[in-house]
């Protein structure tokens, strides 16, 4: 995809091009969860929207813990009814320091009812989430689906122009890049992210176990990274995210199912009994990506096109859905006021709010992960004291829980 250029027309061969008629208000590029959420949120408010992207299968053993704000958003989109039967509540969160540190605090227990919620969130397989959103998109008025990848992106004074891999051309007042960590739209716009990596990888899969999880998510903090078991429906299935040193992860990924299940059971201290692998596996690199601003000329970025997190703390997709909900607020306000939704002025508030939110979440995840890796006693002491303070000081614990699950500052309207 070429670099976006003002007034630079796309000119493929006329016999391969199908020109879509009137411009859309918004064209969302990327048919993953964040892109689907953005497209549905805009279309539900009468914004003529295009959704561009192939509907590829999702099957890497990953799940997503949808926090309370994300569930509110999905409910507003009409998608939650299709997701809820396949989701498990996260009623409690237990954190166990398994680093072997001299400053190891006692296990911490956080309960959702303490902040007036039935659950901190709901855990669902990623494939279920995406398919439910796609079904909603196929039935949504004001939303036109183009199941082809974007190949060219150019920006003019009045609109952004897209040429798709199948030759279709369309234009929109605003393009939304939801096309992932290797975003072609971001590259075409000349936005250069800051990227970094960790000496770790994460094993992901789904497990069946003999003891019930009782809607408790348990996170062991080990010296190589977090080991997390998150409940799935049925009481005897959980998803796994096991962060460890990269070389060890490669070796663990090569184990047969019985060997991997035994290793997980040992690391979990047999708390859920005997285990077996009950879903596909994934091996996820531990890396991060951040932008100074998620906005360029007639372009807004959401999801992993704007920020990438390692799979720690359920931040990645929840932040992407907040991007989608916040963008909806900015576009609906601009259209309601008769302003151009693709203008810099219309997107200024979105850019500030999303940059601030992403910076804070990036700092929190990065600090936790690096503190586990360092083995430096003063850092261990600070981490242990922080966890102990949250365990023993109820007002502090409630503030941290609320901010982690239902951020108050700048929360988009569909997440309140």
């Amino acid at each position: 995809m070429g670099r976006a250029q003002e007034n630079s027309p796309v000119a493929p061969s006329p016999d391969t091009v199908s020109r879509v008629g009137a411009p859309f208000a918004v064209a969302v590029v990327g048919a993953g969860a964040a892109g689907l959420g953005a497209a549905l949120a805009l279309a539900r408010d009468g914004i003529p929207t295009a959704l561009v992207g192939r509907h590829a299968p999702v099957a890497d053993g990953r799940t997503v813990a949808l926090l309370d704000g994300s569930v509110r958003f999905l409910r507003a989109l009409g998608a939650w009814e299709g997701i809820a039967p396949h989701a498990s509540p996260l009623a409690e969160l237990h954190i166990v320091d398994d680093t072997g540190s001299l400053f190891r605090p006692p296990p911490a227990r956080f309960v959702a009812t303490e902040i007036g919620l039935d659950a901190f969130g709901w855990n669902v397989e990623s494939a279920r989430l995406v398919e439910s959103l796609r079904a909603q998109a196929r039935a949504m008025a004001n939303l036109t689906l183009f199941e082809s990848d974007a190949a060219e992106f150019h920006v003019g004074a009045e609109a952004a122009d897209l040429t798709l891999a199948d030759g279709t051309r369309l234009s929109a007042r605003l393009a939304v890049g939801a096309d992932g960590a290797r975003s072609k739209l971001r590259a075409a716009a000349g936005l250069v992210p800051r990227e970094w990596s960790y000496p770790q990888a994460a094993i992901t899969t789904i497990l069946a176990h003999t003891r019930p999880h009782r809607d408790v998510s348990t996170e062991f903090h080990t010296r190589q990274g977090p080991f997390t078991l998150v409940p799935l429906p049925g009481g005897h299935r959980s998803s796994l995210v096991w962060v460890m040193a990269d070389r060890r992860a490669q070796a663990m990924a090569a184990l047969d199912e019985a060997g991997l299940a035994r290793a997980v059971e040992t690391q979990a201290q047999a708390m859920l009994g005997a285990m077996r692998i009950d879903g596909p596996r994934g091996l996820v690199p531990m890396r991060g990506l951040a932008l100074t601003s998620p906005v360029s000329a007639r372009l807004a970025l959401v999801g992993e096109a704007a920020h990438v997190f390692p799979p720690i703390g359920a931040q990645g997709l929840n932040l992407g859905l907040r991007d989608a909900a916040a963008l909806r607020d900015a576009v609906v306000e601009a259209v309601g006021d008769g302003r151009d939704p693709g203008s810099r002025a219309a997107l200024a508030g979105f850019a500030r709010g999303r940059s601030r939110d992403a910076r804070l979440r990036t700092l929190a995840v990065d600090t936790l992960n690096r503190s586990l890796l360092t083995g430096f006693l003063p850092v261990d002491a600070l981490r242990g004291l922080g966890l102990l303070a949250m365990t023993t000081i109820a007002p502090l614990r409630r503030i941290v829980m609320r901010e982690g699950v239902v951020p108050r500052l700048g929360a988009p309207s569909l997440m309140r």
Side-chain angles (χ1 to χ4, degrees):
M1 183 176 292
R3 180 184 175 90
Q5 297 178 356
E6 299 237 349
N7 300 312
S8 176
V10 179
S13 171
D15 61 355
T16 64
V17 171
S18 171
R19 162 65 76 176
V20 174
F24 292 93
V26 181
V28 179
V29 177
L36 284 158
L40 287 166
L42 293 163
R44 75 181 283 279
D45 281 287
I47 306 296
T49 303
L51 177 63
V52 175
R54 288 177 298 156
H55 291 190
V58 179
D60 64 354
R62 296 186 71 174
T63 65
V64 57
L66 296 165
L67 301 180
D68 184 73
S70 295
V71 172
R72 292 170 188 262
F73 179 54
L74 294 168
R75 190 174 284 122
L77 300 183
W80 182 243
E81 283 189 6
I83 298 168
H86 309 289
S88 180
L90 311 181
E92 295 188 22
L93 170 62
H94 296 179
I95 298 179
V96 179
D97 190 312
D98 196 23
T99 61
S101 169
L102 292 174
F103 298 99
R104 183 170 59 183
R109 177 172 175 260
F110 302 92
V111 182
T113 54
E114 190 176 354
I115 55 172
L117 298 174
D118 292 331
F120 292 119
W122 298 75
N123 194 38
V124 64
E125 293 180 44
S126 298
R128 293 278 191 184
L129 169 65
V130 171
E131 184 47 48
S132 180
L133 289 170
R134 286 173 180 168
Q136 194 72 12
R138 288 190 283 270
M140 178 66 74
N142 304 306
L143 181 58
T144 305
L145 306 185
F146 297 88
E147 294 192 32
S148 178
D149 290 336
E152 296 286 343
F153 171 59
H154 298 282
V155 174
E158 300 287 328
D161 294 317
L162 290 163
T163 301
L164 311 190
D166 65 4
T168 301
R169 292 176 60 185
L170 59 94
S171 63
R173 304 299 292 276
L174 171 66
V176 177
D179 50 342
R182 295 178 177 83
S183 171
K184 292 183 177 181
L185 264 65
R186 185 185 66 219
L191 294 174
V192 179
R194 179 173 67 90
E195 299 183 69
W196 63 96
S197 61
Y198 301 91
Q200 301 158 287
I203 298 284
T204 63
T205 193
I206 293 168
L207 303 158
H209 39 80
T210 56
R211 293 179 186 167
H213 54 58
R214 305 187 190 280
D215 299 333
V216 175
S217 178
T218 303
E219 183 169 296
F220 290 83
H221 288 173
T222 80
R223 192 53 81 192
Q224 293 190 4
F227 168 95
T228 309
L229 294 167
V230 191
L232 282 170
H236 290 268
R237 296 175 78 237
S238 295
S239 61
L240 169 73
V241 180
W242 189 357
V243 179
M244 64 189 80
D246 186 67
R247 182 174 295 180
R248 185 184 179 204
Q250 298 289 341
M252 199 72 71
L255 292 175
D256 61 18
E257 290 194 351
L260 178 59
R262 284 194 299 271
V264 173
E265 185 180 334
T266 299
Q267 181 62 57
Q269 301 174 11
M271 59 175 288
L272 294 177
M275 292 187 169
R276 64 177 173 83
I277 306 301
D278 196 37
R281 301 193 213 177
L283 182 62
V284 183
M286 293 283 287
R287 57 198 178 90
L289 179 150
L291 283 169
T292 302
S293 172
V295 166
S296 184
R298 298 206 171 275
L299 175 66
L301 300 174
V302 301
E304 289 197 340
H307 41 71
V308 172
F309 291 83
I312 295 174
Q315 292 303 313
L317 181 57
N318 286 286
L319 192 64
L321 294 178
R322 282 206 297 281
D323 295 340
L327 183 64
R328 172 261 175 201
D329 287 353
V331 171
V332 168
E333 181 181 355
V335 171
D337 293 342
R339 294 180 289 126
D340 179 355
S343 67
R344 294 273 193 174
L347 298 172
F350 166 83
R352 286 193 302 271
R354 303 319 305 141
S355 295
R356 179 176 60 243
D357 196 4
R359 281 196 304 272
L360 290 173
R361 306 292 160 175
T362 298
L363 178 62
V365 170
D366 186 73
T367 299
L368 170 61
N369 191 44
R370 293 187 189 279
S371 75
L372 293 173
L373 295 176
T374 179
F376 188 43
L377 285 179
V379 174
D380 281 350
L382 286 173
R383 187 182 65 252
L385 286 171
L387 194 57
L388 185 62
M390 284 190 288
T391 302
T392 57
I393 304 173
L396 174 63
R397 181 173 63 252
R398 287 191 284 270
I399 289 171
V400 171
M401 286 192 292
R402 286 194 190 100
E403 182 56 29
V405 177
V406 192
R408 302 295 179 90
L409 184 61
S413 59
L414 295 185
M415 289 189 164
R416 294 173 194 155

